[in-house]
Amino acid sequence: MASSRRNQSARPGAARLTASGHVAGRAGRSSPPGDEAAAAPLTGGDGGRASADTHGHAAGRVRKRLPPVRLAPREELAAAARVAPLLRAARDLSRWAGSTHQLTSSGGLAPDQAVAAAEALELAHREVEAAFRVAVATGMLARPGADSGPAGCGDVLAAGDAEEVLQAWDSALAAILTAEDLDGLATALYTVGGPVRMDGLFDAYAAAAGTRRSTRATDRTATDQAAADQAAADRGQEPDEAAALSYALETLADLAVVELGTDESPGGLTVALSPLGVWGIHRRLRAQGWHVPVLGSSGRNGAAGLLATLASCDAEDGEAEIGGWLAQREPAQAAAELIEAAASGSPGLRGAAFAVLDRIGVVAGPAVRAALAQPVLRAHAAVWLHEHGEEAELGPQDRTWLLVDLGAGLLEEADPRDVVAELLPELPADAQAEIVAGLWQVSHPGVTDLLTALSDYHPDPAVARAARKAAFKARSPAAGRGPIAPADGPVS
């Protein structure tokens, strides 16, 4: 299926050796945020866990970002939408209602007519309700007094082109997610990016929707309800909640939003978004302002788009994105774009930009040397040139600023514990304490967050104490620090 693939090596080459001998490592990336209520309990089949961890620790704000996905071709998506049972049921219901004019003055189906529709179309009562919502939402069926739907909308599944079919399916998805309060559940499945065990899904569903929706499952037959109640009791769940989850999954599966499967453990039923579901939830999240990168699209974007995508990629996908992006540019042009993006980006994006410049090699030298004139890039550029056999001066002020910038960049994506463990791993504790004690003087917007992380999570008491004191000084209005970036200086 089209899904994200996540691990702890999202940004290729982001670990760098500073000229001062400090190792700034690439710490593990925390799980991306999803719907805070729904995503936290989800556990994937591989043991991966989606959490409500927030990004942007160094910046002190939540960043709306989710893992990248690979979207299926439009024709493949449209083909899946054409045969979605719920969309076809909506078409059949619109034809039935249109031929018999069985809508009430309020635009709904009368109870007796709903029963008649269920018998005529061989649908369950709940399926008729869902099909009616979809038929109205897609324009297949117009309410009395309202403008009629698009011409031939009832036949769009058979005669419409891919875009028309996907537009109809997207409207159906919006209607179902709204009517069933399933946005949180869908976002959680998107966040995980893979199959989810049913027990984890139940927890997510209960957190997102609560038990208030359980009354919607009362249309099940007595036999079905008894079986669901018994299965719920076996798992220690409330029967009504299990019935509501079952109903929700059936509805999503009927619209081809989710796929059901099994894992290797006995009774390991799983659910995951289908390629069509990934496409639909991706559209909704993007419209809501989330950063939802798509794998394979970086070549069409500028350097800033590439770097933003790399922030959420694993190593394998990241290498593929870099390769595709570089293949569409001359090396000198690519280097210039990366330098421009690094100059206006966050600390994490600066580190990623210079890691990508490593792929270009010596051809990037002129652009990197020109970056020495930009204060926020000077230290990065000097280290890059040094690593590629060129001379560039890097003073003590540049070294400490670079250390803070690298640490702040890691905090954007990683758990603070991982950053602390990797930032200065090869130095003895007394040397680390000495360096940390002076970091409060570094003019960098992320220094306080970095010092706070060191004070909270460094295992050596002396280093943690030095960080705590330095953080206090950094917060003081009388800290007397200089400009944000290291001052310009001579370049050899």
Side-chain angles (χ1 to χ4, degrees):
M1 65 173 288
S3 66
S4 63
R5 297 173 62 249
R6 303 181 295 139
N7 68 10
Q8 302 298 329
S9 304
R11 183 171 294 153
R16 302 182 59 82
L17 176 66
T18 71
S20 62
H22 303 155
V23 176
R26 175 66 178 94
R29 183 170 63 85
S30 59
S31 298
D35 180 274
E36 278 77 359
L42 285 183
T43 302
D46 60 355
R49 189 174 181 85
S51 72
D53 295 340
T54 57
H55 291 213
H57 179 278
R61 62 181 181 276
V62 174
R63 299 171 63 187
K64 287 188 173 184
R65 179 160 61 209
L66 288 169
V69 294
R70 196 178 300 277
L71 300 180
R74 309 284 278 195
E75 290 296 335
E76 179 181 323
L77 295 171
R82 290 181 197 275
V83 297
L86 183 53
L87 209 55
R88 295 167 72 91
R91 178 199 59 190
D92 295 343
L93 179 63
S94 68
R95 290 173 177 173
W96 179 87
S99 63
T100 57
H101 306 289
Q102 301 293 350
L103 295 181
T104 67
S105 59
S106 61
L109 285 173
D112 59 332
Q113 296 303 328
V115 172
E119 293 178 353
L121 302 175
E122 297 183 349
L123 298 173
H125 181 67
R126 62 171 183 79
E127 292 173 330
V128 171
E129 290 184 341
F132 180 79
R133 285 196 295 270
V134 168
V136 172
T138 58
M140 295 180 183
L141 188 62
R143 294 179 182 275
D147 294 334
S148 61
C153 190
D155 296 324
V156 68
L157 299 185
D161 61 24
E163 293 305 316
E164 291 172 331
V165 172
L166 289 176
Q167 181 180 359
W169 184 89
D170 192 49
S171 298
L173 175 65
I176 292 301
L177 292 182
T178 299
E180 303 298 332
D181 297 327
L182 294 176
D183 255 324
L185 187 62
T187 300
L189 287 171
Y190 185 99
T191 301
V192 173
V196 174
R197 289 286 300 273
M198 287 296 184
D199 51 358
L201 185 63
F202 175 84
D203 291 338
Y205 178 80
T211 59
R212 65 185 182 280
R213 300 180 61 258
S214 61
T215 55
R216 303 205 182 209
T218 56
D219 297 321
R220 308 180 120 215
T221 66
T223 301
D224 289 343
Q225 188 63 55
D229 289 353
Q230 183 59 50
D234 292 342
R235 295 190 297 269
Q237 301 170 0
E238 290 295 329
D240 285 348
E241 292 177 341
L245 174 58
S246 177
Y247 170 76
L249 289 179
E250 289 172 8
T251 303
L252 292 177
D254 284 345
L255 194 56
V257 180
V258 300
E259 296 173 335
L260 305 180
T262 58
D263 62 15
E264 295 179 356
S265 60
L269 297 177
T270 63
V271 61
L273 288 180
S274 67
L276 187 57
V278 170
W279 177 81
I281 303 305
H282 174 272
R283 282 174 55 90
R284 290 177 64 81
L285 292 173
R286 185 178 61 184
Q288 294 167 12
W290 291 83
H291 173 70
V292 281
V294 177
L295 294 173
S297 64
S298 294
R300 301 188 297 270
N301 301 326
L306 169 67
L307 299 178
T309 299
L310 292 180
S312 301
C313 284
D314 66 15
E316 182 181 347
D317 285 333
E319 290 295 344
E321 292 297 300
I322 292 171
W325 190 84
L326 292 176
Q328 299 188 28
R329 291 161 175 79
E330 293 296 327
Q333 175 196 354
E337 288 188 35
L338 288 164
I339 291 296
E340 181 180 358
S344 59
S346 68
L349 295 189
R350 283 195 286 273
F354 280 91
V356 178
L357 286 165
D358 286 339
R359 308 298 195 275
I360 300 175
V362 295
V363 180
V368 177
R369 178 164 288 278
L372 291 169
Q374 302 191 51
V376 295
L377 300 183
R378 173 183 171 79
H380 287 278
V383 170
W384 192 95
L385 291 168
H386 175 79
E387 292 174 346
H388 290 79
E390 296 192 38
E391 295 293 329
E393 183 176 333
L394 192 71
Q397 184 181 10
D398 295 305
R399 293 189 183 98
T400 53
W401 187 89
L402 179 60
L403 181 65
V404 173
D405 199 52
L406 289 169
L410 293 174
L411 283 174
E412 291 179 13
E413 303 297 330
D415 187 285
R417 297 173 181 82
D418 296 325
V419 176
V420 170
E422 295 193 24
L423 194 61
L424 300 170
E426 294 184 355
L427 292 176
D430 56 347
Q432 292 189 35
E434 182 179 355
I435 293 170
V436 169
L439 290 183
W440 68 273
Q441 301 176 80
V442 177
S443 301
H444 191 290
V447 67
T448 302
D449 283 317
L450 179 59
L451 287 169
T452 300
L454 288 166
S455 67
D456 288 344
Y457 301 113
H458 201 287
D460 187 274
V463 179
R465 184 165 51 253
R468 191 157 44 249
K469 291 180 179 179
F472 177 80
K473 293 179 180 179
R475 295 188 187 98
S476 172
R481 290 179 286 163
I484 289 297
D488 295 337
V491 178
S492 58

